[in-house]
């Protein structure tokens, strides 16, 4: 048996095979080999009437790069608001409880743009942005047991350590260790970056930094998903779509027949509208300053539209008039403080619930009259739609696989990695919904 194993580990090609009569002892033997030699990414059998053949596929790239520094392309933001520059960066191997990922597809979310613009946000440069992505585990650091090279994964900007009070609570996804932190640009284990150019550190963003062919993440910020799921589609579940969907289904929880207002009809808001539609809301009112969004939003269940610019009174009053006193639920997906206040003040007294999703500027303050609360309105907020990334995201991917959730309609553009700045242009111009950035192009 050992000689067979040796011949496979030393195989010069990516695939090696053996012919034998009885497969079952080999099956368990190779599973054991795979556990100790993670570069064995696939083992399968070919059975014909007379011969049984075991084929072991060896991932040669993992074999040659694990434990080594990888040089690859990354889109580096050197300064606030300046186009990203494709640079050759060095990506250090993953340390304790970290994994190194090969990113295959990433997309742009408005949160990347805010921190890149750094107008009302903490600025930390040079930095590699990106947090909505899909990829494959290239190698794992010490102590990592539940991920191995070859696993298909979605990195998530807010993690799940699995051990803290939040991770153990059914109500929270605000992990003590790995919750979103937009100020930190280094890894938790040693306070250092894994990215560098000629020894100069390049900072991370929200523990994901997916605008790089390879990135390093804490194992708790990486969700393992069904390997059959197409990464060029499900990558958008790693932030925007799950966030919007969860904000409605897990937090606002509209009942069948209710009226829901969605502020902001970008990817997050449209996913929130989709959630309202899944929940059986009868009226879904889309609110946006960009009227180009309205036609598209019908595909996501929006039944009516309001452009605040068309009215000379606050939009919350317009909505109250349209709905006999206020909507049952509202979900704010703009990041604009005035929209946040309107989203709260437009819900019906007695039972209305508003959910804030948009990321505000650092100095924003939420101001409303306390009587709005006394009148029995509820204000909530959420990151990642209250989904626990590692525990819950795989089942959201399954919703797509089972055709309960359509993702294609969110994907309006695709660009090659070298053209990543075009994705920024589309978002700043309010064109399209999600733009997929292909790392191999
Ligand atoms: P997007 O730019 O694609 O969409 C935002 C939409 O809001 C645009 O259509 C814009 O015209 C509209 N808008 C802006 N100001 C408005 C106002 N005052 N009134 C009405 N509409 C207004 O952005 P996106 O990627 O869909 O993200 C939406 C927001 O959600 C951003 O603030 C983003 O940072 C945030 N976000 C939060 C989380 C979370 O976990 N909480 C996750 C992802 C994104
Ligand atoms: Zn935790």
């Amino acid at each position: 048996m050992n000689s067979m194993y040796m011949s496979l580990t030393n195989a010069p090609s990516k695939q090696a095979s053996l012919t034998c009569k009885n497969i079952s002892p080999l099956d368990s033997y190779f599973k054991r080999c795979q556990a100790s030699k993670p570069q064995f990414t696939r083992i399968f059998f070919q059975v014909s009437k007379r011969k049984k053949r075991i084929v072991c596929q060896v991932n040669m790239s993992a074999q040659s790069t694990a434990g080594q520094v990888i040089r690859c392309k990354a889109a580096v933001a050197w300064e606030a608001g300046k186009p990203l520059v494709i640079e050759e960066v060095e990506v250090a191997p993953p340390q304790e409880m970290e994994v190194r990922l090969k990113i295959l597809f990433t997309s742009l979310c408005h949160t990347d743009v805010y921190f890149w613009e750094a107008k009302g946000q903490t600025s930390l440069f040079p930095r590699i942005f990106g947090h909505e992505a899909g990829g494959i585990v290239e190698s794992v650091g010490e102590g990592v047991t539940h991920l191995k090279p070859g696993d298909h994964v979605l990195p998530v900007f807010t993690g799940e350590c699995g051990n803290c009070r939040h991770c153990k609570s059914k109500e929270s996804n605000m992990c003590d260790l790995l919750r979103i932190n937009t100020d930190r640009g280094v890894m938790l284990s040693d306070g250092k970056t894994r990215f560098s150019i000629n020894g100069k550190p390049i900072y991370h963003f929200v523990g994901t930094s997916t605008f790089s062919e390879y990135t390093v993440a804490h194992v708790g910020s990486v969700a393992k998903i069904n390997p059959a799921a197409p990464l060029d589609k499900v990558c958008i579940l790693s932030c925007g779509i799950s966030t919007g969907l969860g904000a409605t289904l897990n937090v606002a929880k509209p009942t069948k027949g209710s009226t829901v207002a969605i502020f902001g009809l970008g990817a997050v808001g449209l996913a929130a509208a989709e959630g309202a539609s899944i929940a059986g809301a009868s009226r879904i009112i889309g609110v946006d300053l960009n009227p180009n969004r309205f036609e598209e939003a019908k595909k996501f269940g929006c039944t009516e539209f309001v452009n605040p610019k068309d009215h000379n009174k606050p939009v919350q009053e317009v909505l109250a008039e349209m709905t006999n006193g206020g909507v049952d639920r509202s979900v704010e997906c703009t990041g604009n403080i005035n929209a946040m206040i309107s989203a709260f003040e437009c819900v019906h007294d007695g039972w209305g619930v508003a959910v804030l999703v948009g990321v505000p500027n650092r100095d924003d303050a939420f101001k409303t009259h306390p009587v709005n609360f006394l009148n029995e309105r509820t204000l909530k907020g959420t990151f990642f739609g209250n989904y626990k990334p590692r525990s819950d995201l795989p089942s959201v991917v399954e919703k797509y696989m089972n055709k309960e959730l359509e993702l294609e309609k969110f994907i309006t553009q695709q660009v090659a990695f070298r053209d990543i700045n075009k994705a920024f242009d589309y978002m700043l111009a309010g064109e399209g919904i999600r733009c997929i950035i292909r790392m191999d192009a």
Side-chain angles (χ1 to χ4, degrees), residues 57-74:
Q57 195 163 312
V58 184
N59 181 348
M60 302 301 277
S61 67
Q63 216 173 12
S64 55
T65 55
Q68 316 276 319
V69 168
I70 291 181
R71 295 176 77 88
C72 69
K73 291 199 190 85

Side-chain angles (χ1 to χ4, degrees), residues 6-17 58-61 63:
M6 287 304 292
S7 72
L8 288 172
T9 47
N10 297 330
S13 69
K14 286 191 180 166
Q15 203 165 292
S17 67
V58 184
N59 181 348
M60 302 301 277
S61 67
Q63 216 173 12

Side-chain angles (χ1 to χ4, degrees), residues 108-112 114 131-132 157 239-240 243 263-269 287-290 293 308 332-336 338-339 356-360 382-385 427 430 432-434:
L108 182 65
C109 166
H110 214 131
T111 312
D112 296 306
Y114 291 141
H131 64 281
E132 205 175 83
F157 65 87
C239 176
T243 296
F263 284 70
L265 301 174
V268 179
V287 182
D288 203 300
L289 298 171
N290 177 358
R293 297 277 189 201
E332 177 281 328
C333 308
T334 70
N336 178 282
N338 296 320
L356 305 187
V357 179
V359 176
T382 178
F383 275 115
F384 202 49
M427 181 155 278
I433 305 171
R434 274 299 191 253

Side-chain angles (χ1 to χ4, degrees), residues 173-174 243 246-248 251 355-358 380-387:
N173 67 347
M174 296 297 294
T243 296
T248 306
V251 190
V355 178
L356 305 187
V357 179
K380 293 182 171 189
T382 178
F383 275 115
F384 202 49
N386 271 37
Y387 287 118

